[in-house]
Amino acid sequence: MINPQLLVFLIGAIILLSIIVVSLVISYGASLKRLKKLQENEDALYKKTIEEEKNIVEQAQTDYQGIIKAADEKAKEILNQSAQINQTSEKELNDAVAGLAEKEKNEINARSQILLKQYEEQIAQINDNSINILKNISEDIKTSVISHFDELKKLMSEQTFESKKAAEEKIKVEYDELEKELQNYKQKQLQEVDQKIYQIIFNVSKAAIGKGLSMDQHQELILDALERAKNEGGL
Amino acid sequence: MEKKINDFLTILKTENDKKEALFLLDDLLENLFKTDGSLSVFIKKSSQSPVAKSVISLLPDGWENPQDKDDLEKMIIKIKNTVQNLKTVNITVAVNPNETMLQSLNDWASKNFESKIIFDVTVNPEIIGGAIIVSGGTYHDFSLIKRLKDVMEAGKNEIIASLKTN
């Protein structure tokens, strides 16, 4: 069984919700209407604006063309006036320029003459100076060369003397060494000769003694050797 | 018997004599008891050498048919040992020694030493004369070549100088 209180509560709630839904639907419909109206107003305003812009542009073009036309006319007028002024001015200017040019030319000629004269004078002076300098340089070179030549001569003489001295010393050293070697060689050769002489004498003595001994003398020498060995405690 | 042995030793003068004597004594001992006549053959064959003659001289009378060969064997062994123990002196001489010279050496040894000395003789003519003696580890050079060298070395410079001035 459903609780009656709950049932009442539910029914009330449903009714309340229905009312709310209906209110919302009504409100939504009203809103849609207002929105549509606003949209229509906006469209109308847009069209009006476009139209106005078009008009303004057309008006502006018209004004612009008028201004341009007026400006052209004004410009033509000014140009005409200017041409007239130019023609006058040009003539005056040409005259003035011609006068100035003539004056300037004369001044330049005069100045050129002065400068040319000064230049020639300076050139002449420079030439004189140069000749003097060259003369002096030539003298300096001559003096310097003579001086250096003397120094060179002296130096060469000294070096020649030193070289000669060094060569003499070297020759002396080598000569001494050679003499020493020769002396050694001579000494060695003499020693070899002495040794050969000694060997010859020795061999001759040996042969002479050996052949000269009789058996008795041999026997005597052997017995003498035995006696000496015995005396030395060797037997 | 001692006299016979001493006489026998007197015959031995050189190392070669000693070697020959030992060889003969060994041969004698080897043939002593043979009955096939080998001993007689040995005696005849060896009778040429003085050393062999002296060995044979050691044998008693009637040795060809000895009654008691054991005594003879003992005597030969004793002689052999004596010979083996003889002192040897090595001596180098310049000439090949003749019998007189060997006898002279032997006499000198008998005179100067109580025990018998044997000389082992080497001949080298290079020593000219004198002798080089080696005995008991000592060396004595009394050769003429050494004396000549000593003399010439001592007076070498004087000799050469003398020859140059002459």
Side-chain angles (χ1 to χ4, degrees):
Chain A
M1 287 295 288
I2 299 171
N3 192 337
Q5 287 180 342
L6 183 61
L7 187 62
V8 171
F9 178 75
L10 287 172
I11 291 167
I14 289 166
I15 293 167
L16 184 61
L17 285 170
S18 300
I19 292 165
I20 292 166
V21 167
V22 169
S23 301
L24 287 171
V25 168
I26 292 166
S27 176
Y28 181 71
S31 295
L32 281 175
K33 279 183 182 178
R34 275 202 303 274
L35 184 62
K36 190 177 178 183
K37 194 176 179 180
L38 282 170
Q39 230 170 4
E40 286 172 358
N41 288 337
E42 190 181 346
D43 290 342
L45 187 63
Y46 179 73
K47 283 178 182 176
K48 190 182 176 183
T49 305
I50 294 296
E51 192 68 29
E52 282 178 358
E53 280 180 2
K54 190 178 176 183
N55 292 335
I56 288 166
V57 168
E58 285 174 358
Q59 184 62 43
Q61 283 179 342
T62 305
D63 292 346
Y64 172 71
Q65 286 172 353
I67 290 165
I68 294 294
K69 192 176 178 182
D72 281 345
E73 287 172 358
K74 190 70 179 176
K76 283 177 182 174
E77 186 182 347
I78 290 166
L79 283 171
N80 288 332
Q81 286 176 358
S82 296
Q84 286 175 357
I85 291 166
N86 280 342
Q87 283 175 357
T88 308
S89 298
E90 190 176 357
K91 189 174 181 302
E92 288 174 356
L93 186 63
N94 285 337
D95 292 342
V97 167
L100 282 171
E102 187 62 30
K103 190 181 176 184
E104 194 69 23
K105 185 182 173 185
N106 292 332
E107 282 184 7
I108 287 168
N109 281 334
R111 198 160 188 81
S112 296
Q113 289 300 320
I114 293 166
L115 287 172
L116 183 64
K117 192 178 179 184
Q118 287 178 350
Y119 176 74
E120 284 174 352
E121 286 173 359
Q122 283 182 355
I123 289 293
Q125 191 176 358
I126 287 167
N127 282 337
D128 291 343
N129 288 337
S130 298
I131 289 164
N132 287 333
I133 288 167
L134 284 171
K135 280 181 180 174
N136 289 334
I137 287 171
S138 177
E139 285 298 320
D140 288 346
I141 288 169
K142 189 180 172 184
T143 308
S144 176
V145 165
I146 290 167
S147 172
H148 280 94
F149 182 74
D150 288 342
E151 285 178 12
L152 185 67
K153 194 176 170 184
K154 189 181 173 186
L155 187 67
M156 282 180 72
S157 176
E158 285 174 0
Q159 285 186 349
T160 305
F161 178 73
E162 289 294 326
S163 300
K164 190 182 171 187
K165 194 177 172 187
E168 280 176 356
E169 284 176 0
K170 195 176 178 185
I171 288 166
K172 188 177 182 305
V173 168
E174 288 186 359
Y175 179 78
D176 289 346
E177 283 179 3
L178 194 65
E179 195 174 7
K180 196 176 172 185
E181 283 177 13
L182 198 64
Q183 200 63 34
N184 289 338
Y185 178 75
K186 192 178 169 185
Q187 192 67 29
K188 195 179 169 187
Q189 290 293 315
L190 284 172
Q191 282 176 353
E192 284 181 8
V193 169
D194 288 352
Q195 186 61 33
K196 282 178 184 171
I197 291 169
Y198 169 76
Q199 197 61 44
I200 289 165
I201 295 166
F202 181 80
N203 290 336
V204 168
S205 304
K206 185 179 153 187
I209 295 168
K211 283 183 181 176
L213 287 174
S214 66
M215 278 306 273
D216 288 342
Q217 285 172 320
H218 274 294
Q219 183 176 309
E220 193 179 337
L221 287 167
I222 292 165
L223 290 173
D224 180 61
L226 284 167
E227 195 70 37
R228 291 173 67 181
K230 182 195 158 202
N231 292 335
E232 290 182 6
L235 291 177
Chain B
M1 189 64 202
E2 285 299 322
K3 188 178 180 303
K4 276 191 172 181
I5 293 173
N6 286 333
D7 290 343
F8 166 71
L9 293 177
T10 308
I11 298 299
L12 304 180
K13 299 181 184 70
T14 66
E15 182 69 12
N16 287 338
D17 293 343
K18 181 181 170 181
K19 285 177 183 172
E20 188 182 354
L22 287 171
F23 175 77
L24 290 169
L25 289 168
D26 281 337
D27 216 359
L28 186 58
L29 284 170
E30 192 179 332
N31 293 291
L32 190 59
F33 293 98
K34 289 182 180 174
T35 55
D36 58 355
S38 299
L39 189 58
S40 299
V41 173
F42 161 75
I43 295 298
K44 284 178 185 172
K45 196 169 67 181
S46 308
S47 61
Q48 305 299 320
S49 159
V51 176
K53 283 179 184 172
S54 65
V55 169
I56 293 165
S57 70
L58 289 169
L59 298 173
D61 295 336
W63 58 270
E64 288 168 328
N65 293 299
Q67 296 297 317
D68 190 356
K69 283 192 178 180
D70 288 339
D71 288 342
L72 181 60
E73 185 185 23
K74 284 176 187 172
M75 186 194 75
I76 293 168
I77 290 169
K78 185 183 176 185
I79 293 168
K80 186 185 166 189
N81 289 335
T82 304
V83 172
Q84 275 178 331
N85 292 325
L86 289 176
K87 183 181 177 182
T88 303
V89 172
N90 294 290
I91 182 166
T92 301
V93 296
V95 292
N96 202 11
N98 56 21
E99 194 58 34
T100 309
M101 189 182 284
L102 291 174
Q103 188 58 50
S104 172
L105 294 176
N106 208 36
D107 292 345
W108 179 88
S110 301
K111 187 178 166 186
N112 287 280
F113 297 97
E114 289 181 1
S115 57
K116 172 72 179 172
I117 288 178
I118 292 290
F119 291 100
D120 185 4
V121 182
T122 304
V123 178
N124 180 10
E126 284 298 310
I127 70 167
I128 304 175
I132 297 170
I133 298 157
V134 180
S135 176
T138 57
Y139 178 91
H140 300 276
D141 188 350
F142 298 114
S143 65
L144 279 188
I145 189 77
K146 183 175 184 298
R147 289 166 73 176
L148 182 63
K149 277 180 184 172
D150 291 344
V151 169
M152 287 200 67
E153 278 298 322
K156 181 179 176 181
N157 293 333
E158 287 77 4
I159 293 167
I160 291 166
S162 171
L163 285 170
K164 282 178 181 172
T165 52
N166 292 332

